[in-house]
Every structure is written in structure tokens, then in C-alpha cells.
Amino acid sequence: MLKQNISALITIFGATGDLSYRKLFPSIYNLFQKGYFGKSIAIIGTGLDELTTEEFRQQVKLSIKNQIEKPRDIDEFLYHLFYQQQNVNQQESYEQLLQLSQDLDEEFNLEGNRLFYLAMSPNFFGTVTNNLKDSGLTNVQGFSRVIVEKPFGDDLKSAEKLNNQIRKSFKEEEIFRIDHYLGKEMIQNIERLRFGNTIFEPLWNNKYISNIQITSSETLGIEDRGTYYESSGALKDMVQNHLLQMVSLLAMEVPSSRKSNDIRKEKVRVLKSLKSLKKEEIKQNFVRGQYDEGVINNETVLAYKDEPNVDSKSITETFVAGKIEIDNSRWSGVPFYIRTGKRMYKKAIQIVIEFKKNPMNIYYDTPEENESNLLVINVQPNEGFSLCVNGKKSNQNDEMQVVKLPYIMPTKDKMNTVDAYENLIYDVLIGDQTNFSHWEELMYSWKFIDKIKSVWNEEPPAFPNYKSGSYGPNESEKLLDRDGLNWWNNL
């Protein structure tokens, strides 16, 4: 990140929640400690808890110590931190917030720049944004911007309603819909790998690529999120946002510039081009699953239905695999396989681009021996990428072997790697929307997801259908097997 002199008042609604303590305050502290603000920064945390500013500062101090190794100058950061008890439904509390904001703007020379972070249930987004405008909190000399967390709606209809509510108070260019995957270093590297290297971009099409596989797997279950997960499931929680965002980055055309509007325009074109599936195609191309009890790291773990706050007869999916096709000249005939699940064999976010086999490879005796070239992008845990090519074994024969040319982020770089939230909060402060979802991206992704969900709702699944610690349901393997392919599980 290029260092800029940023002045801003950051107001966090839901400041006493888990997200704020684990991610937001440590990220803002890092930006402060690295000198991006100077002294021109103030943070207001709001919540229902009865806390003094000093009590709140001590809680934030503890959260920073829990998340950051050897933090420095925390007290200097805490001097810029304030707390106000806030009932988001009461107009008078916004009047008090306005007075505090005006006082801090003058005290810290914030130039009238305000950022509002809604780290709370989407049910309150419309209420908060309406009150921010009505109270005059958004009527400022500098910028006024709002960050909203996912889920952004429950389907297209609810997403449209939510968007219309927020748009009454903020313009599209002032709304930052956060997807923390887009803040990850290796996700942002996709564009650089494609457009910054002549060895890839000329091959990035259906003439040379066989298929693309995207996996986001977790060994964890739902932990204490049973209530939320029961109303969401893997399709909405992961596919609608994270996985379709990765598809759009991998498949988009070269943007006319690095400006956020040009990049987002190309992503929208991809999502608009997703092949519309008929009912039978959805049944054939999309697999859902729910984890049963099993063994992970030598420990027996519960089935999803036995988790806290989960219906014992739940039909909520914890796994989704699917085959996505894009109707355009670049990608026609190239399947994008996506897969995400909880309680799986390992924790990983990985993208595998499998190139077509060389039909005239004279160094292999049979077609079966002829290995594909692969570009593997590891988003986590081992950030980096590798190119798998065919080469000669070190012996006197003509035997061939797959050679991996890896780049793994050095340990010292990993230690200095910013958290995705730190990246994204900085982007908002400088007004860069590149790594945030435009409304049109959400609209087309919800249209795609709603069709799948409507078909699934017609027929109750037989859950559970995969063991914890496995690769997911057997139907996921068959999804690729029908096309003569397989998941790349152990790269």
C-alpha cells in the first residue's frame, strides 16, 4: 500500500462484536501504527453495552494484544478511540453521535471525512443509513462513505430492497460492500498473474485451458454460528459472494485501465454471461451436502445436526460443488468447477487452472501418461503459486515426470502480510472500490443463485451425506468424472 496522509472519523456500529474485536480494531491499529493517519484520526465505537470510553479502550487494547504479536504504542492509538452507547432505532442517540463527531472533527482536524462501518446484522442497515442522513451525520465537507458486511440480502428481492434503502442515503460510489476474500493477497494477485505476464494471457482461453477448479474448504464446523448458518447455508454464505467473485476475476476480459470502474465493469460482464441453467441441468451440475460426524486431527467431531442451535432435522447444506459455464467466445466449452465445504479433509483456498494436454507429446508412450500442465494459486494456508510442467527424470532413460516450479511466500513476507480487512479498510479510506462488490455484481450473482435454490427447495435432500474429514459427498467426484476429469486434491 502506498502511504497517503489520511484524515478521517471512523464510526463503527457493532463495535463490541466479535468482528470488531478480532478484525476491525487490529486492522485500524495497524494502519495507525504504520503511519497512514498521522494524528488526523478518530474512531467512535458504538454499541448497546453500557461502557465508559476508558472501559472500551481497555477491551480494544486486549483484542489488539490477542491478534497482533508484539504490538507497539497501543496507548497512543487508544487516545484516538471513543465509545458511545447507541440504540440504532432511537433518533436522539444519533443527535448525540452528531455532537461527538463534530467535536472530534475539530479536535483531531479530520477535514469533515467520515467513514461508517456497519458491523452488525443487515436487518439494521436501512435503519442506520436513514438515521445517519436524517440526523445530518452524512452532511459533511469531506467524504461520507459506508461499509456494509455480508450477507447482502437473502435473495435477489431482499437484496434489491436493502440496496434501495441504503441508496436513499448514500450514492453507489459511497457504498463499499465488503467481501474479505477480495482483500486477500493472492486473490488480488490473479489480475497481476494474468495481465502482467505474456506467458499466461495469450493462453487464457478455451483453446488452451481444459478446466478451472476453485476450492474453499474448512476443517472447522459452524462453531457458534448455528443460528446464522441455519438461515444461510453454504450456497449463500460462500458461493453467492466469495466463489463467484473468484470466477469473475479469473474469467474477465482485460480491463481498459486499472481504474475500479473499468475492472468492475469486466467482472459484471462475466456474471452476466453465466450460463442460465434449466431445472434438470441444475440437478445434474450442482451438488449439496451436509457433514456427518467423523474424525479430524484424531478427534471425533459432531454431525451438523448435533451442533448447537441447529435443527435436528435440518436440511441446510454445509457443502456445495458445482459446474459453471460462461457463454462467451473466450470461455465457451471450459467448465469452472467450484467446491466449498465445512468439516472437510483440510483447510485450503486453492485455484487450479488445468491446461489442455499436448496431443503430440512424443515423450509419452500412452495418452494416459501424458500429464496436463497446471497453474496452481494457493490463497491459503501456503500463499503462493506454482506451475506444474513435464520434464525428464534424472536417469539414463527417457522417462518423464511432473516438475513443480513453485513460489511460496517467504516467511518474513508472511509475517508482514496485512490482513484482508486492513487492505480493504485502507481502500475505502482512499476511495478505491476495485475490491468491493458493485450492485450489478450482486444482482447477477443473486439471479444465478436464486435459480439453484428454487430447484433445491422443491426436493428435500437425504442428509447427512458426507463424513467429517472427507472430500465431501461422492456426487461431487462424479460431477467431474462425467467429464473425464477429477478434483486436484493433493497439490
Side-chain angles (χ1 to χ4, degrees):
M1 295 186 293
L2 295 175
K3 192 170 290 187
Q4 296 189 22
N5 186 20
I6 301 170
S7 302
L9 170 62
I10 303 174
T11 302
I12 301 175
F13 291 84
T16 57
D18 182 62
L19 173 66
S20 296
Y21 286 138
R22 282 193 308 109
K23 295 293 185 180
L24 305 189
F25 289 118
S27 295
I28 298 170
Y29 161 78
N30 270 344
L31 291 171
F32 176 86
Q33 194 270 327
K34 292 172 183 177
Y36 287 98
F37 298 111
K39 304 296 182 182
S40 299
I41 179 68
I43 306 104
I44 300 174
T46 77
L48 286 171
D49 296 353
E50 279 191 48
L51 295 171
T52 65
T53 286
E54 186 54 38
E55 289 171 335
F56 180 60
R57 286 174 174 176
Q58 292 309 308
Q59 290 185 10
V60 171
K61 185 175 186 177
L62 180 61
S63 74
I64 291 172
K65 286 184 174 181
N66 287 339
Q67 299 297 325
I68 297 175
E69 188 176 353
K70 297 180 181 179
R72 298 184 291 112
D73 304 322
I74 298 182
D75 289 337
E76 184 180 350
F77 170 72
L78 295 177
Y79 172 73
H80 297 262
L81 183 66
F82 302 84
Y83 182 78
Q84 178 179 296
Q85 187 178 14
Q86 180 92 13
N87 184 330
V88 297
N89 294 304
Q90 293 179 353
Q91 180 63 35
E92 56 267 28
S93 66
Y94 292 90
E95 294 170 2
Q96 296 167 6
L97 182 60
L98 175 62
Q99 185 60 57
L100 176 59
S101 300
Q102 291 172 336
D103 292 343
L104 294 178
D105 190 279
E106 184 175 344
E107 179 180 351
F108 291 98
N109 190 27
L110 305 179
E111 302 178 355
N113 294 323
R114 290 183 186 166
L115 168 59
F116 305 97
Y117 199 125
L118 308 191
M120 59 202 315
S121 168
N123 295 333
F124 298 108
F125 288 176
T127 300
V128 173
T129 53
N130 285 340
N131 280 313
L132 288 176
K133 181 181 180 181
D134 292 344
S135 64
L137 275 157
T138 60
N139 184 19
V140 292
Q141 294 293 321
F143 65 71
S144 175
R145 296 168 185 154
V146 62
I147 302 177
V148 294
E149 281 280 343
K150 77 176 185 72
F152 197 90
D154 188 57
D155 52 22
L156 178 58
K157 184 178 180 180
S158 60
E160 285 179 328
K161 180 180 178 181
L162 180 57
N163 191 61
N164 291 336
Q165 288 178 322
I166 298 174
R167 286 293 299 273
K168 290 178 181 177
S169 305
F170 292 89
K171 301 174 184 176
E172 177 63 31
E173 59 268 24
E174 296 173 329
I175 303 170
F176 291 76
R177 304 172 188 86
I178 205 163
D179 182 334
H180 70 272
Y181 269 45
L182 297 182
K184 294 180 181 294
E185 290 289 315
M186 291 311 300
I187 296 293
Q188 296 184 359
N189 229 326
I190 292 171
E191 297 169 57
R192 278 72 174 177
L193 277 172
R194 278 193 61 185
F195 307 133
N197 296 284
T198 55
I199 64 170
F200 292 132
E201 182 54 25
L203 309 180
W204 215 263
N205 53 60
N206 53 12
K207 184 177 179 181
Y208 297 103
I209 291 180
S210 163
N211 68 91
I212 293 178
Q213 300 179 18
I214 303 171
T215 296
S216 179
S217 61
E218 297 180 83
T219 55
L220 293 174
I222 58 165
E223 299 180 283
D224 58 353
R225 301 171 70 216
T227 302
Y228 162 74
Y229 212 83
E230 276 289 89
S231 64
S232 175
L235 185 68
K236 297 178 182 178
D237 186 51
M238 293 294 297
V239 180
Q240 182 270 329
N241 39 74
H242 304 323
L243 271 64
L244 286 182
Q245 281 290 325
M246 285 192 275
V247 168
S248 68
L249 285 170
L250 289 161
M252 72 181 189
E253 296 297 321
V254 182
S256 57
S257 78
R258 290 169 55 191
K259 293 179 180 178
S260 60
N261 284 343
D262 292 327
I263 293 172
R264 295 165 86 184
K265 186 187 301 181
E266 295 303 333
K267 290 168 64 183
V268 168
R269 287 178 62 189
V270 171
L271 295 171
K272 193 175 180 180
S273 299
L274 296 179
K275 182 181 177 182
S276 181
L277 299 176
K278 297 177 181 178
K279 183 176 179 179
E280 289 306 313
E281 290 176 315
I282 290 173
K283 289 183 177 181
Q284 185 177 25
N285 292 343
F286 281 85
V287 174
R288 52 181 162 165
Q290 186 188 93
Y291 63 80
D292 199 353
E293 66 178 31
V295 178
I296 294 179
N297 296 326
N298 298 317
E299 290 188 11
T300 301
V301 296
L302 295 174
Y304 174 75
K305 291 180 181 179
D306 296 328
E307 299 276 19
N309 300 315
V310 171
D311 188 338
S312 60
K313 297 180 180 179
S314 175
I315 57 171
T316 300
E317 78 283 353
T318 62
F319 175 97
V320 175
K323 175 182 176 181
I324 294 173
E325 296 176 271
I326 300 172
D327 279 336
N328 62 27
S329 58
R330 180 185 288 266
W331 294 112
S332 178
V334 178
F336 285 67
Y337 298 104
I338 59 167
R339 174 176 57 167
T340 183
K342 293 188 175 296
R343 288 292 189 211
M344 293 184 69
Y345 63 106
K346 68 177 180 180
K347 177 180 176 64
I349 304 174
Q350 186 180 73
I351 300 165
V352 180
I353 295 94
E354 181 175 351
F355 294 89
K356 292 182 177 179
K357 295 179 180 181
N358 182 355
M360 298 297 292
N361 195 329
I362 62 174
Y363 296 101
Y364 287 106
D365 294 329
T366 65
E368 291 74 22
E369 295 178 285
N370 190 2
E371 296 289 346
S372 300
N373 298 145
L374 306 175
L375 174 61
V376 182
I377 303 172
N378 288 310
V379 180
Q380 68 178 45
N382 300 313
E383 297 95 332
F385 53 87
S386 58
L387 188 62
C388 299
V389 300
N390 297 314
K392 184 182 180 298
K393 282 187 177 181
S394 299
N395 56 28
Q396 281 71 45
N397 300 318
D398 284 331
E399 293 181 278
M400 298 285 285
Q401 65 178 350
V402 175
V403 179
K404 182 181 285 189
L405 309 175
Y407 165 76
I408 299 174
M409 189 180 293
T411 303
K412 64 180 180 65
D413 290 344
K414 286 184 182 181
M415 292 174 62
N416 296 324
T417 298
V418 296
D419 182 84
Y421 277 92
E422 185 180 333
N423 262 336
L424 295 172
I425 291 172
Y426 176 80
D427 284 347
V428 178
L429 289 167
I430 64 172
D432 185 351
Q433 289 192 308
T434 304
N435 298 308
F436 296 84
S437 299
H438 189 276
W439 164 243
E440 284 193 279
E441 295 174 61
L442 283 167
M443 179 178 68
Y444 287 114
S445 64
W446 270 124
K447 283 184 177 181
F448 187 76
I449 294 300
D450 282 355
K451 288 183 179 180
I452 299 169
K453 195 65 180 176
S454 66
V455 172
W456 283 0
N457 287 340
E458 293 177 4
E459 193 173 312
F463 283 165
N465 62 350
Y466 72 97
K467 291 281 187 183
S468 291
S470 71
Y471 291 106
N474 291 332
E475 288 77 12
S476 172
E477 305 297 329
K478 295 176 183 176
L479 184 67
L480 277 73
D481 186 60
R482 288 199 303 266
D483 295 335
L485 301 167
N486 57 268
W487 289 107
W488 292 97
N489 290 323
N490 299 302
L491 293 173

